[in-house]
C-alpha cells in the first residue's frame, strides 16, 4: 500500500513548489462555493460531533413497536370515525378500512419506563439512553417523497440533505476518509441517490457510498494486475508531472489536484483498514451479532462506530424492507431481527468508548403506519398497514438528547395530541445538537437563501439534555 | 483553492472582463441606482420592503413592512436614512434580528444617492439590450473588452482549447502540428470552420442543453423505470449540427405541436418539457405529481429562457424580483393546457413494410381454404403398448408407456422397441421425448440428444409374411436444432441426426418428431412394429425418456373442401347463440369525474385528459325499441392511447392497460347480472382472474383488466338477470382504477335482447373459423405474425388540449397542490412584459414572445450561458439569475452587444461561437504570470469530455450517432442502491465506447464516473455544473475498470505504432495532451516505462494527469 508519508514528504520537500500546506488545507475545496471541507466552528457549542442516522426505509409500524393502542384491539373489524380520518388520502387502502389491533405485547424497560413492542426487546438493554419521540409527523405519504422530505426538507429531488448541510456547516475532521458516508442494507431505496445528494450545494458535500464487497468506496482498490509498487510509482509519476505543470502554469488548482491524489492514495489504505474487523474482539462481534466479513445491517453499525472513531461526521445506514402492506406482524419481526440487537449494540458500544455523548444516533422511518388494516386479495395482501403521515415514532440516543419518552397520540394512534414534532422540527433539533441555528445555516441559490427547514422548524427543547 | 486565492481568481476574471462591482461608486461618478443602490437594497431591505404582497386568508398583508423600496414611491428619504444610521435597536433598519448590517461605505452611497435626487432605474436586465458601435476592422469582443490582454496562447494550447470547446474532443496530432507550423489567423479561422461543421459539434453542445432540459432515460422517483425519449435527445443534436436558429429551436421545443402542419421533428421537439419526472410509486395521487411536474416546467422555463428564479413565487410573491404569486400561476397556465401522449414517430420504411406484410397476410388468408389438409392425412396419435425394448448399453426400465433408461450413460446407443397392435390403418409414428428433472430429454449433462437414424419394420402377428421395411417420409418436429433437422434421422446417413437444442428456448421442454409411412399398414391379424433408434453421435447424446405413439388415419378418403365445409358448419352451430346481432347503443349523456369523454363515430367514446385512481364514467342511454338483456362493452385500441390502449394506464401498471373495478347498470332501480364473459383477461396479482365477472362482484378491489393483450381490441359481455323492457331509459356506471390510475380509453356499448350470450371476438365468418382452426394453425400463425403492428420508435411529447376541454389553472395557496384557489389566466410578469399590451394567449404565442426582440432577457441569458461555457464564468456570473439578487454583468456593454448581435445574426449559435473563439480575449494564454495579470481561465473539463477525450486518445471512440441509449462499463454495484436493484449489463461491440451523450441516464443511479465529475442527475434543470476537485476523481481515473480498459486499448495502439520507445512515449502523451512533452517530462515517462515495461501502466498514468482533464 502507498505510504502517505512518502507523498507528503514529496509535497513538502522534493517537489520544490512549496504547496503542500496550501493544498492540504484546501483539499476538496470547491472553487465555486466559497467553502471547503476545512473544519470550522458552528454557531453554538455543539453537543454532537457526529450523527449516525439509522434510516428504517419503508417505514416501521409505530403501533407495533412504540405506541401501544389497546383501544384498536377493541375496535378491530370496524372503521375509524370519519371525524378522525378527515380528508386524508391513502396510497392503497380506502379511508373506511377496518381497524387492526396491535400485533405484539409491549413491555416497559429501564428507569425511564421506555415502552417497547416485543420485537424490539433487545433495545430494552439501552432503554435509559433512548429518547423516544412518539409524536413525529410529516407532510408526505409516499416513500420517495417522504424519504426525500426527511433528508432534505423537500419532497422533490434537488435540495441538499442533512448530511450535506452538516458538512457545509462544519467541514470535515478526517483527512483519510470521506466525512459523509452512506451505507445501505436490505433492498434498493425508493429515494435513490437523491437521498444523500448535496442538491444545489457543491458536489463535494455529497455523501460517499460505502458498498458491500471488496471495494467499499467505488474504485478504492488497486485494480487487479497492478502491483503495489506500480500503483505507488504511478501516483508518484502523476504527481511529478503535475508538479512540473504547476511550476509552469502556476495555478493552485493543480496543487489542489495533487493533494486530492495524495488523499486518494491515503484512502486506498484507510478504507480497507476501516473495513477490516479482525482487530475487533469476539465479544464486540457477538454484541452486534454480525459476521466480520458478511455485509449486514449489524456490520454496518459496527463500521459506523469505527468511522466515528476516525472522525467521520455523518453516517447514514439505510435498512429498507419495512413497508408492511401485508403481514405487518411477520414483517416487523423479521426487520427487528435484522436491526434491533445491532442498534442496541451500537449505542452500548459508543457509550463504552465514551463516544455516545458526542454522537447522535437517530433511528426511524419516513412516516408511520395506519391504524387501519390493509387487506387486498387482488394484490395478495392481508393484515398489513398502509402509509400514515400523521404520526410516527423516531428514536434518538446520545449526542445531547434527553432519555425519556416524548409526545402523545390519540387513542387510535392516528393524530398527535401532545408535543407534535414535525419533520422540520426534527431537522431543526438535529442541527441544533450539531451546533447550528437552523435559521442561519443558509445557502444562497436561485435568488434566495435556502435552508434545510425552509421557513419552518422549531427546536424541540424538551428532548434536549 | 482556499478563500484568498479564490478571491484573487475572481478579481482576475473580473478585471479581465471589465468588471464594475457593486458598492464601489467612484466619487467622481454619479450614483447609479442599478449599479450602486439596488444591490444594497435588494440584499438588505427587499425581503420585507420588496414586491411580496402576499395576503393571508383574511386579506391581511403578510409583508412585514408597508413601505416598498423596490419601486419609486413617495418615500420620506430623510426618515429612511435616519433609520438606517440609527443606533437605537428599536429604530435601526434593517432590524437586528435580520442579521443584516450595512457597511459605512454602503450607508455613504445611500446618502449620496438621496442627495443626488434618489433616482430610480429599471432593473438592468428588464431593459432591452443595445448594441455598441464597433470601429471597422475591430473585433467586437476585443473592442468592448477594454482591458489589457495577456499574450496569445501557444499554438498547441490554443488548438486543443478550441477543439475541446467546440467539439468536446482534443485535436489530432496532424491538425495540431499543421497549426503549429502555421498559426496564422487564417489557419485558425479554417480550423474553426471545420470544427463548426463537424457532426461532433452537436454532440458536444447538446450535452449542455440537455442539462437545462433535465434529460434522462428513466422516469425518476422510486421505481425509476425506463422511458423512451431519446428521439428528443437526437433532435437536439441534429438541430445544433444544423445550426437551427435559436428562436426556431425555442418555438419548436415549447410549442412545436401547435405550429401549423407540425412536422414529426417539431412534435418530437416538445419532449423538452416532457423530461419532467414521473412518480410510479404505488399509491400516489397522480395529479399531485403532475402538479410537481408543472412547477418544474415553470422553473425550467424561467431559468432556461428568462434567467429568472421563479420558484419563490410558487408559494408567495417573490421577495426580491417582481414576480407575483399570481404571475407564477399565470406562467404555469401557458403549459397547463396540455395532454402528455407518447408519440409514435412516423417511419415511411416501416409503414411500407407494414403494408407489404398486411398484403401478404391477406393473400395467405385468401389461400387458407386451399390449405385445409387432406382428411386422409389426418393422424390420431395414440400411445402404444410396448412389448419389448432392447438396448446395447443402457439398462432400461419399462412400463406400459415410458421407457426410462437409468444407470451409466453410454457414449452411443441403439434402442430397439417392439410394439404389437391390432389397430388397422397405422400410417405414422410419433417419437415423444420428455424433459427430465429440470434438464432436457437427452442424457448429456446439458440435456440434448441426437437421433442419428430411425428405422421401422412391420410384420403380421401371425408371421404370415416376413417383416418389411417401412419407408418413412414427411418428417416434422416440434423443434429442430440448427444443423440438426429432423430429416437427418431418415436420410440413411448415420453421421447426421436430429437434435433439439435451440438457444432461444430452454432445453427443459418436451419435444416430439413425427414420421409418416408412405403406405398405411393394416394386417388382419395385427401388426408387430420394430422400431430402431440409432444414436451414434457420441458424447452421451442418447435419449433418456421417451414414448412411441402410433398414428392411425381417420376419415379415410374424404375430400378436403367438403371436410372444411363440414367442420365450419359444426363450429358455426356451436357458437351460433353468441353470434347475436348487437345493436350499438349511443348514450345521450356521458360524463366522467376526471378525464373528458368525446363521442366519436359509431357510438365510440374516447377518453382523454387526466386520470385518477378512481375514475367513474356515467353513461345515460335513452329508451331502446327492443329489450336489452345483454350488454357488450368493446374495449378498443387507438394510437392516441399509451401503447395503443385500450387503457390509459401510464405509470405503475402495464402501459395501456385498464382496470374496471365495477360495471353497474340501473333503470329507476339497480339491476342485477346473471353472468359475464370476456375475450381476454389478465391475472390478478394475488389470486383469481381479472375477468369481467370480477367487475360485477360488488368488490371495488377486484376487476377486469388485460395485461398481455395490450394493443388489441377486447370485448366483455354482461348478461342481465332480467331484460330491460323496451322504452326504458337506463344508466351505466363504470368504475376504474386501483392503487394506480387505470382508466379505459376507448370503448363502445351495444345491447342485445338475448340472454346469456358469451363474449366472442369474431363474426363467425369462414375466415374467423379458419383463423382459429388447429388444422391450419401453422399458416394462421404466419398470418398473425404478418398482421402484428410493426413497432415504431416512441417518444414523449406535448399536445394542446382542445379548446372545449381546456384545463383551468388555479392559484395554489402557499404553493400546495391540495389548496387550489382562484382560476388564473395565462399572463407574464409586468416587469418583463409591457403593461397595457395583450399577453400572449397560449403556449405558442408565449414561445414566440420569448424569442421576440421585445423580450429583454432571452438573448442575454443565452449568450451569457455560452460565454460561461468558454470562459468558465458568465459575464453575469449568476448564469441562472438575472434578477435583483443576481450579480450585475461585469461588462454590460459586451453582454448587450453579444445579445443583439446574436439576434441579428438569425440567432445562430455557431456564429456566436465563431465570434467568441476568434476574439483575442479567448486566445489569451492561461499561465498565471502574476496574481493580477490577465489570462484565459483554465477549467477542469466536464465529465463527458473527460471520458470522450480518453476514448478518443485510445482510438476507441466510434462515430455512430443517435439511437437508443447505451451502457458503457462501470463498476458492478453502482446501480444496486436503486429501487429493484437493477442490473447494469455493459454493452459489447461498438456500443461499449460511444460518445458520452449516448450513455443511458438513470436518474436514481446515474453513471458513476459522470457523477464523480459533477454531472447532473436529470432531476432538475441545471444551468451550471460545479467543477469540484476530489480524491474520488483521482480514484476514478486511476482505478475505474472503464479507464483501465481504455488504458489497455490506448497501450495497444501505442505499442503497434511506428518508432522507438521515446517516439512512442511522445505519441502517447500527445494523443491526449496535444502538445509535445518537455524533455524532462519525456525523461520521467521514460524512466517509468523502463522500470515497469508496461505501456498500459504508462497510458494509465497519462490518463490521470491534471492536464488531461483540464482545458488550458
Amino acid at each position: 500500500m502507498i505510504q502517505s508519508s512518502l507523498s507528503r514528504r514529496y509535497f513538502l520537500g522534493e517537489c520544490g513548489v512549496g504547496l503542500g500546506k496550501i493544498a492540504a488545507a484546501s483539499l476538496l475545496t470547491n472553487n465555486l462555493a466559497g467553502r471547503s471541507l476545512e473544519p470550522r466552528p458552528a454557531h453554538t457549542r455543539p453537543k454532537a460531533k457526529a450523527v449516525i442516522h439509522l434510516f428504517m426505509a419503508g417505514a416501521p409500524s409505530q403501533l407495533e413497536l412504540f405506541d401501544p393502542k389497546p383501544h384498536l384491539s377493541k375496535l378491530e373489524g370496524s372503521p375509524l370515525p370519519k371525524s378522525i380520518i378527515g380528508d386524508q388520502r391513502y396510497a392503497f387502502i380506502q379511508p373506511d378500512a377496518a381497524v387492526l389491533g396491535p400485533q405484539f405485547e409491549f413491555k416497559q424497560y429501564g428507569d425511564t419506563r421506555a415502552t417497547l413492542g416485543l420485537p424490539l426487546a433487545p433495545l430494552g438493554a439501552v432503554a435509559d439512553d433512548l429518547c423516544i419521540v412518539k409524536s413525529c409527523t410529516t407532510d408526505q405519504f409516499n416513500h420517495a417523497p417522504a424519504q426525500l422530505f426527511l433528508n432534505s426538507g423537500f419532497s422533490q429531488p434537488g435540495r441538499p440533505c442533512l448530511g450535506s448541510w452538516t458538512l457545509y456547516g462544519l467541514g470535515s475532521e478526517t483527512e483519510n476518509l470521506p466525512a459523509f458516508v452512506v451505507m445501505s442494507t436490505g433492498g434498493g431505496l425508493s429515494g435513490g441517490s437523491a437521498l444523500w445528494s448535496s442538491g444545489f450545494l457543491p458536489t463535494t458535500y455529497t455523501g460517499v457510498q460505502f458498498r458491500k464487497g471488496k471495494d467499499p468506496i467505488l474504485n478504492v482498490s488497486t485494480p487487479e494486475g497492478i502491483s503495489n509498487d506500480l500503483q505507488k510509482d504511478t501516483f508518484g509519476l502523476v504527481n511529478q508531472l503535475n508538479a512540473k505543470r504547476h511550476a509552469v502554469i502556476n495555478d493552485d488548482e493543480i496543487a489542489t489536484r495533487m493533494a486530492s491524489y495524495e488523499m486518494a492514495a491515503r484512502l486506498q489504505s484507510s478504507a480497507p483498514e476501516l473495513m477490516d474487523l479482525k482487530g475487533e474482539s469476539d465479544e464486540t462481534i457477538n454484541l452486534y451479532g454480525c459476521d466480520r466479513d458478511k455485509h449486514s445491517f449489524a456490520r454496518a453499525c459496527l463500521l459506523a462506530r469505527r468511522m466515528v472513531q476516525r472522525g467521520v461526521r455523518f453516517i447514514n445506514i439505510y435498512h429498507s424492507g419495512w413497508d408492511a402492506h401485508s403481514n405487518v406482524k411477520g414483517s416487523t419481526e423479521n426487520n427487528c431481527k435484522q436491526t434491533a440487537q445491532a442498534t442496541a449494540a451500537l449505542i452500548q458500544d459508543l457509550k463504552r468508548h465514551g463516544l455516545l455523548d458526542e454522537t447522535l444516533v437517530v433511528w426511524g422511518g419516513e412516516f408511520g403506519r395506519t391504524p387501519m388494516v390493509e387487506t387486498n386479495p387482488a394484490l395478495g395482501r392481508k393484515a398489513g398497514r398502509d402509509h400514515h403521515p400523521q404520526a410516527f415514532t423516531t428514536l434518538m440516543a446520545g449526542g445531547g438528547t434527553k432519555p425519556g419518552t416524548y409526545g402523545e397520540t390519540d387513542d387510535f394512534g392516528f393524530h398527535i395530541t401532545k408535543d407534535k414534532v414535525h419533520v422540520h422540527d426534527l431537522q431543526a433539533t438535529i442541527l441544533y445538537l450539531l451546533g447550528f441555528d437552523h435559521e442561519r445555516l443558509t445557502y444562497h441559490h436561485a435568488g434566495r437563501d435556502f435552508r434545510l427547514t425552509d421557513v419552518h422548524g422549531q427546536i424541540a427543547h424538551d428532548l434536549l439534555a | 483553492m482556499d478563500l484568498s486565492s479564490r478571491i484573487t481568481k475572481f478579481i482576475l476574471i473580473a478585471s479581465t472582463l471589465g468588471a464594475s462591482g457593486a458598492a464601489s461608486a467612484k466619487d467622481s461618478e454619479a450614483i447609479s441606482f442599478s449599479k450602486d443602490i439596488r444591490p444594497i437594497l435588494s440584499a438588505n431591505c427587499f425581503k420585507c420592503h420588496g414586491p411580496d404582497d402576499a395576503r393571508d386568508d383574511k386579506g391581511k398583508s403578510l409583508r412585514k413592512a408597508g413601505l416598498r423600496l423596490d419601486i419609486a414611491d413617495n418615500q420620506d428619504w430623510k426618515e429612511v436614512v435616519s433609520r438606517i444610521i440609527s443606533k437605537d435597536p428599536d429604530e435601526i433598519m434593517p432590524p437586528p434580528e435580520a442579521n443584516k448590517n450595512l457597511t459605512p461605505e454602503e450607508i455613504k452611497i445611500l446618502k449620496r444617492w438621496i442627495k443626488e435626487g434618489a433616482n430610480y432605474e429599471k432593473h438592468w436586465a428588464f431593459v432591452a439590450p443595445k448594441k455598441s458601435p464597433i470601429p471597422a476592422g475591430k473585433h467586437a469582443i476585443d473592442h468592448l473588452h477594454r482591458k489589457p490582454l495577456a499574450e496569445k496562447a501557444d499554438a498547441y494550447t490554443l488548438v486543443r482549447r478550441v477543439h475541446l470547446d467546440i467539439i468536446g474532443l482534443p485535436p489530432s496530432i496532424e491538425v495540431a502540428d499543421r497549426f503549429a507550423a502555421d498559426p496564422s489567423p487564417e489557419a485558425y479561422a479554417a480550423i474553426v470552420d471545420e470544427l463548426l461543421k463537424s457532426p461532433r459539434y452537436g454532440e458536444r453542445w447538446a450535452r449542455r442543453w440537455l442539462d437545462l432540459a433535465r434529460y434522462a432515460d428513466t422516469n425518476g422517483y422510486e421505481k425509476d423505470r425506463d422511458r423512451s425519449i431519446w428521439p428528443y435527445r437526437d433532435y437536439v443534436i441534429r438541430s445544433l449540427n444544423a445550426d437551427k436558429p435559436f428562436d426556431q429551436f425555442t418555438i419548436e421545443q415549447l410549442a412545436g405541436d401547435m405550429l401549423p402542419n407540425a412536422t414529426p421533428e417539431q412534435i418530437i421537439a416538445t419532449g423538452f418539457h416532457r423530461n419532467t419526472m414521473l412518480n410510479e410509486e404505488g399509491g400516489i395521487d397522480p395529479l399531485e405529481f403532475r402538479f410537481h411536474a408543472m412547477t418544474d416546467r415553470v422553473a425550467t422555463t424561467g431559468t432556461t429562457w428568462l434567467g429568472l428564479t421563479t420558484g419563490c413565487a410558487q408559494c408567495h410573491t417573490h421577495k426580491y424580483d417582481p414576480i407575483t404569486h399570481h404571475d407564477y400561476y399565470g406562467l404555469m397556465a401557458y403549459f397547463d393546457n396540455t395532454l402528455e401522449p407518447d408519440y409514435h414517430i412516423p417511419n415511411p420504411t416501416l409503414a411500407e413494410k407494414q403494408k407489404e406484410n398486411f398484403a401478404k397476410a391477406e393473400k395467405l388468408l385468401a389461400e387458407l381454404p386451399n390449405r385445409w389438409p387432406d382428411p386422409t392425412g389426418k393422424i390420431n396419435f395414440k400411445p402404444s403398448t410396448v412389448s419389448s425394448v432392447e438396448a446395447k448399453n443402457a439398462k432400461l426400465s419399462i412400463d406400459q408407456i415410458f421407457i426410462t433408461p437409468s444407470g451409466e450413460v453410454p457414449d452411443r446407443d441403439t434402442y430397439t422397441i417392439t410394439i404389437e397392435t391390432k389397430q388397422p390403418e397405422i400410417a405414422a409414428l410419433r417419437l415423444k421425448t420428455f424433459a427430465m428433472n429440470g434438464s432436457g430429454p437427452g442424457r448429456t449433462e446439458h440435456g440434448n440428444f441426437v437421433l442419428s437414424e430411425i428405422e421401422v419394420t412391420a410384420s403380421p402377428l401371425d408371421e404370415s409374411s416376413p417383416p418389411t421395411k417401412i419407408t418413412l417420409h414427411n418428417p416434422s418436429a416440434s423443434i429442430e436444432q440448427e444443423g440438426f433437422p429432423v430429416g437427418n434421422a431418415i436420410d440413411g446417413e448415420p453421421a447426421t441426426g436430429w437434435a433439439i437444442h435451440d438457444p432461444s428456448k430452454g432445453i427443459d421442454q418436451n419435444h416430439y418428431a413425427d414420421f409418416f409411412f408412405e403406405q398405411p399398414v393394416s394386417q388382419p391379424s395385427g401388426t408387430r412394429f420394430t422400431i430402431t433408434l440409432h444414436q451414434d453421435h457420441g458424447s452421451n447424446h442418447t435419449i433418456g425418456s421417451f414414448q412411441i405413439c402410433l398414428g392411425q388415419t381417420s376419415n379415410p378418403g374424404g375430400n378436403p373442401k367438403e371436410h372444411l365445409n363440414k367442420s365450419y358448419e359444426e363450429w358455426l352451430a356451436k357458437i351460433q347463440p353468441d353470434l347475436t346481432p348487437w345493436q350499438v347503443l349511443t348514450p345521450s349523456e356521458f360524463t366522467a369525474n376526471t378525464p373528458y369523454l368525446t363521442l366519436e363515430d359509431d357510438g365510440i367514446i374516447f377518453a382523454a385528459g387526466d386520470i385518477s385512481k378512481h375514475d367513474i364514467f356515467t353513461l345515460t342511454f335513452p329508451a331502446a325499441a327492443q329489450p336489452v338483456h345483454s350488454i357488450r362493452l368493446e374495449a378498443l385500441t387507438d394510437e392516441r392511447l399509451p401503447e395503443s390502449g385500450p387503457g390509459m394506464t401510464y405509470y405503475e401498471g402495464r402501459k395501456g392497460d385498464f382496470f374496471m373495478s365495477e360495471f353497474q347498470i340501473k333503470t329507476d332501480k339497480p339491476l342485477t347480472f346473471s353472468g359475464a364473459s370476456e375475450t381476454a383477461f389478465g391475472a390478478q396479482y394475488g389470486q383469481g382472474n381479472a375477468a369481467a365477472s370480477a367487475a360485477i362482484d360488488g368488490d371495488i378491489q377486484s376487476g377486469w383488466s388485460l395485461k398481455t393483450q395490450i394493443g388489441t381490441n377486447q370485448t366483455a359481455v354482461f348478461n342481465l338477470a332480467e331484460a330491460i323492457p323496451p322504452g326504458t331509459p337506463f344508466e351505466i356506471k363504470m368504475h376504474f382504477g386501483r392503487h394506480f390510475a387505470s382508466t379505459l380509453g376507448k370503448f363502445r356499448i351495444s345491447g342485445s335482447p338475448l340472454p346469456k350470450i358469451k363474449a366472442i371476438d369474431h363474426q363467425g365468418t369462414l375466415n374467423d373459423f379458419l383463423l382459429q382452426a388447429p388444422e391450419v394453425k401453422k399458416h394462421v400463425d404466419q398470418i398473425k405474425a404478418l398482421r402484428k403492428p410493426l413497432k415504431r420508435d416512441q417518444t414523449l411529447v406535448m399536445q394542446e388540449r382542445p379548446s372545449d376541454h381546456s384545463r383551468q389553472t388555479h392559484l395554489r395557496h402557499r404553493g400546495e397542490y391540495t389548496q387550489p384557489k382562484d382560476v388564473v389566466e395565462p399572463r407574464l410578469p409586468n416587469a418583463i412584459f409591457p403593461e397595457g399590451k395583450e399577453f400572449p394567449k397560449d403556449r405558442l404565442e408565449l414561445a414566440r414572445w420569448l424569442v421576440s426582440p421585445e423580450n429583454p432577457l432571452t438573448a442575454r441569458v443565452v449568450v451569457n450561458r455560452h460565454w460561461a461555457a468558454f470562459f468558465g464564468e458568465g459575464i453575469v456570473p449568476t448564469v441562472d439569475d438575472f434578477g435583483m439578487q443576481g450579480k450585475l454583468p461585469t461588462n454590460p456593454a459586451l453582454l448587450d452587444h453579444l445579445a443583439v448581435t446574436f439576434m441579428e445574426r438569425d440567432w445562430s449559435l455557431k456564429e456566436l461561437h465563431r465570434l467568441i473563439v476568434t476574439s483575442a480575449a479567448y486566445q489569451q494564454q492561461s499561465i498565471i504570470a502574476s496574481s493580477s495579470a490577465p489570462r484565459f481561465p483554465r477549467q477542469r473539463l466536464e465529465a463527458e469530455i473527460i471520458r470522450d477525450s480518453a476514448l478518443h486518445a485510445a482510438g476507441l471512440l466510434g462515430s455512430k450517432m443517435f439511437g437508443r441509449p447505451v451502457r458503457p462499463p462501470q463498476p458492478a454495484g453502482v446501480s444496486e442502491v436503486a429501487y429493484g436493484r437493477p442490473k447494469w449489463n455493459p454493452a459489447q461491440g461498438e456500443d461499449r465506447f460511444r460518445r458520452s451523450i449516448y450513455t443511458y441516464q438513470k436518474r436514481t443511479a446515474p453513471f458513476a464516473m459522470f457523477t464523480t465529475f459533477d454531472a447532473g442527475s436529470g432531476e432538475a434543470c441545471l444551468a451550471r455544473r460545479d467543477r469540484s476537485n476530489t480524491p474520488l476523481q483521482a480514484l476514478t481515473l486511476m482505478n475505474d475498470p472503464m479507464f483501465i480498459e481504455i488504458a489497455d486499448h490506448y497501450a495497444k495502439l501505442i505499442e503497434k505504432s511506428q518508432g522507438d520507445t521515446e517516439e512512442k512515449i511522445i505519441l502517447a502523451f500527445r494523443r491526449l495532451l496535444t502538445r509535445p512533452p518537455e524533455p524532462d517530462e519525456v525523461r520521467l515517462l521514460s524512466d517509468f516505462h523502463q522500470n515497469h515495461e508496461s505501456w498500459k501502466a504508462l497510458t494509465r498514468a497519462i490518463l490521470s494527469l491534471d492536464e488531461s482533464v483540464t482545458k488550458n
Side-chain angles (χ1 to χ4, degrees), chain A residues 307-385:
Chain A
M307 288 177 191
V308 169
Q309 287 175 309
R310 286 159 180 75
V312 176
R313 189 74 86 184
F314 205 100
I315 299 151
N316 268 333
I317 304 178
Y318 287 92
H319 176 82
S320 53
W322 288 95
D323 195 19
H325 286 283
S326 188
N327 187 12
V328 66
K329 185 164 192 248
S331 162
T332 305
E333 269 170 346
N334 182 31
N335 282 294
C336 287
K337 220 173 265 174
Q338 295 176 53
T339 54
Q341 180 190 345
T343 305
L346 175 64
I347 293 168
Q348 285 169 302
D349 201 21
L350 286 168
K351 198 169 185 177
R352 66 190 189 178
H353 280 90
L355 292 167
L356 187 59
D357 289 344
E358 53 190 43
T359 306
L360 173 65
V361 179
V362 182
W363 185 106
E366 62 268 36
F367 40 62
R369 305 215 76 94
T370 52
M372 295 89 94
V373 68
E374 178 166 352
T375 298
N376 186 340
L379 287 173
R381 292 172 175 179
K382 60 180 179 196
R385 297 189 190 275

Side-chain angles (χ1 to χ4, degrees), chain A residues 22 26-35 38 89-92 94 140-145 155-157 184-194 196 201-204 208-209 211-212 217-223 226 229-231 233-235 237-238 240-242 244-245 248-254 256-257 260-261 263-264 267-268 375-380 387 440 444-449, chain B residues 1-3 5-6 9 99-100 221-222 277 279 281-285 288-289 292 309 312 318 320 613 684-687 701-702 738-739 817-818 880-881 885 926-929 935 938 940 971 973-974 976-981 1003-1006 1008 1014 1019 1024-1041 1044 1075 1080-1081 1084-1085 1088 1092 1097 1100-1101 1104-1107 1109 1112:
Chain A
I22 318 168
S26 61
L27 180 61
L28 305 181
T29 317
N30 188 281
N31 47 6
L32 301 170
R35 295 185 86 116
E38 285 165 66
R89 295 171 290 165
Y90 285 97
F92 290 90
Q94 301 296 322
Q140 300 298 322
F141 72 104
N142 292 108
H143 296 294
S155 63
Q156 310 281 303
S184 145
T185 64
L189 287 165
S190 297
S193 57
W196 50 89
L201 289 177
T203 47
T204 321
V208 174
Q209 260 180 279
R211 297 152 200 273
K212 63 178 180 183
I217 301 176
L218 217 50
N219 301 315
V220 80
S221 301
T222 302
I226 290 167
D229 273 352
L230 175 55
Q231 185 76 340
D233 283 3
T234 307
F235 270 112
L237 175 68
V238 168
Q240 278 176 305
L241 288 168
N242 283 346
K244 289 208 173 297
R245 209 54 201 153
V248 176
I249 303 281
N250 211 13
D251 185 352
D252 283 346
E253 198 61 29
I254 303 179
T256 309
R257 184 156 308 280
S260 79
Y261 273 78
M263 180 161 170
L267 266 175
Q268 285 214 275
T375 298
N376 186 340
L379 287 173
H387 309 162
R440 281 162 63 203
H444 193 84
H445 164 75
R448 71 172 172 107
D449 287 341
Chain B
M1 180 180 303
D2 66 8
L3 195 60
S5 61
R6 187 168 23 265
K9 187 169 166 187
N99 286 313
K100 308 261 189 201
Y221 292 110
E222 181 189 61
M277 297 197 291
N279 193 350
E281 198 176 328
I284 55 133
D285 179 345
E288 179 174 11
F289 283 88
H292 291 317
T309 62
C312 305
H318 205 297
Y320 307 100
K613 277 156 63 174
Q684 309 221 37
Y685 182 81
Q687 55 195 44
Q701 290 183 338
S702 66
R738 45 203 306 204
H739 60 287
Y817 162 70
T818 47
D880 53 353
D881 189 5
Q885 289 274 291
S926 59
I927 295 166
I928 304 179
R935 66 186 174 97
R938 299 170 80 244
R940 201 211 69 215
V974 170
E976 78 178 7
V977 72
Y979 184 88
R981 296 171 169 260
R1003 284 189 159 113
T1004 56
D1014 305 312
E1019 289 174 315
R1024 76 184 300 173
R1025 289 191 189 179
D1026 280 350
R1027 285 192 297 274
S1028 69
N1029 187 345
T1030 72
L1032 300 183
Q1033 294 169 359
L1035 290 174
T1036 299
L1037 293 171
M1038 295 272 289
N1039 298 343
D1040 187 302
I1044 299 292
R1075 69 178 171 89
D1080 52 351
E1081 289 171 328
L1084 282 170
L1085 289 162
F1088 180 83
H1092 296 287
R1100 176 166 168 258
S1104 304
L1105 294 177
D1106 176 76
E1107 197 174 342
V1109 297
N1112 271 293

Side-chain angles (χ1 to χ4, degrees), chain B residues 96-216:
Chain B
E97 66 268 21
N99 286 313
K100 308 261 189 201
N101 294 313
L102 271 69
T103 64
E105 177 67 11
E106 287 172 332
I107 292 173
K108 207 172 108 193
I109 290 170
L110 276 179
K111 284 182 172 169
R112 263 184 62 198
W113 173 60
I114 289 160
K115 210 169 118 198
E116 286 172 17
N119 289 320
Y120 270 83
E121 282 168 17
K122 210 170 171 187
H123 179 56
W124 70 270
F126 300 155
V127 182
K130 275 201 215 69
K131 225 173 152 179
S132 302
I134 307 294
K138 279 287 252 183
H139 192 289
I141 291 174
D142 297 324
H143 174 70
L144 294 170
H145 196 266
R146 293 197 191 105
K147 295 279 163 184
L149 292 176
E151 266 177 49
K152 192 169 169 179
D154 68 86
Y156 288 118
T157 302
L158 185 57
V159 75
R160 183 169 190 266
R161 181 189 298 168
V162 77
H163 272 75
L164 289 170
D165 269 335
I166 299 187
I167 61 164
L169 295 169
S172 70
I173 295 175
E174 294 70 39
V175 167
D177 284 343
R178 219 179 304 136
F179 182 61
D182 170 24
S184 64
E186 293 74 29
Y188 181 71
I191 287 175
V192 171
D193 269 352
E194 278 305 304
L195 292 177
L196 290 172
K197 274 187 244 158
S198 164
R200 309 283 85 79
Y201 171 90
E203 292 173 330
R204 181 263 185 281
W205 288 96
R207 184 58 264 164
R208 297 194 77 92
W209 185 255
L210 294 181
D211 272 9
L212 291 162
R214 68 280 194 237
Y215 174 87

Side-chain angles (χ1 to χ4, degrees), chain A residues 133-335:
Chain A
V133 189
K134 293 204 311 189
S135 50
C136 291
T137 183
T138 181
D139 297 347
Q140 300 298 322
F141 72 104
N142 292 108
H143 296 294
Q147 289 173 6
L148 287 166
F149 189 59
L150 203 115
N151 273 294
S152 72
F154 193 59
S155 63
Q156 310 281 303
R159 302 243 174 126
C161 65
L162 187 50
S164 300
W165 280 111
T166 306
L167 249 59
Y168 163 70
L170 292 176
S172 166
E173 286 199 335
T174 161
E175 281 190 23
N176 301 326
L177 287 171
F180 174 15
V181 170
V182 180
M183 291 180 273
S184 145
T185 64
L189 287 165
S190 297
S193 57
L195 296 175
W196 50 89
S197 159
S198 59
F200 46 68
L201 289 177
T203 47
T204 321
Y205 301 122
T206 300
V208 174
Q209 260 180 279
F210 268 57
R211 297 152 200 273
K212 63 178 180 183
K214 70 171 184 54
D215 239 10
I217 301 176
L218 217 50
N219 301 315
V220 80
S221 301
T222 302
E224 263 174 55
I226 290 167
S227 68
N228 286 346
D229 273 352
L230 175 55
Q231 185 76 340
K232 191 174 93 180
D233 283 3
T234 307
F235 270 112
L237 175 68
V238 168
N239 265 340
Q240 278 176 305
L241 288 168
N242 283 346
K244 289 208 173 297
R245 209 54 201 153
H246 183 266
V248 176
I249 303 281
N250 211 13
D251 185 352
D252 283 346
E253 198 61 29
I254 303 179
T256 309
R257 184 156 308 280
M258 292 169 71
S260 79
Y261 273 78
E262 194 193 359
M263 180 161 170
R266 284 206 302 274
L267 266 175
Q268 285 214 275
S269 53
S270 56
E273 186 276 329
L274 168 78
M275 305 299 284
D276 182 358
L277 301 184
K278 271 198 222 76
E280 296 289 345
S281 70
D282 286 349
E283 187 271 335
T284 302
I285 297 290
N286 291 336
L287 181 70
Y288 283 88
C290 66
D291 183 286
R292 279 196 174 81
D293 299 311
K294 228 177 104 194
H295 179 71
S296 67
F297 178 81
R299 182 167 176 270
C301 285
L302 175 51
L303 289 172
R305 189 264 286 159
R306 290 168 66 87
M307 288 177 191
V308 169
Q309 287 175 309
R310 286 159 180 75
V312 176
R313 189 74 86 184
F314 205 100
I315 299 151
N316 268 333
I317 304 178
Y318 287 92
H319 176 82
S320 53
W322 288 95
D323 195 19
H325 286 283
S326 188
N327 187 12
V328 66
K329 185 164 192 248
S331 162
T332 305
E333 269 170 346
N334 182 31
N335 282 294

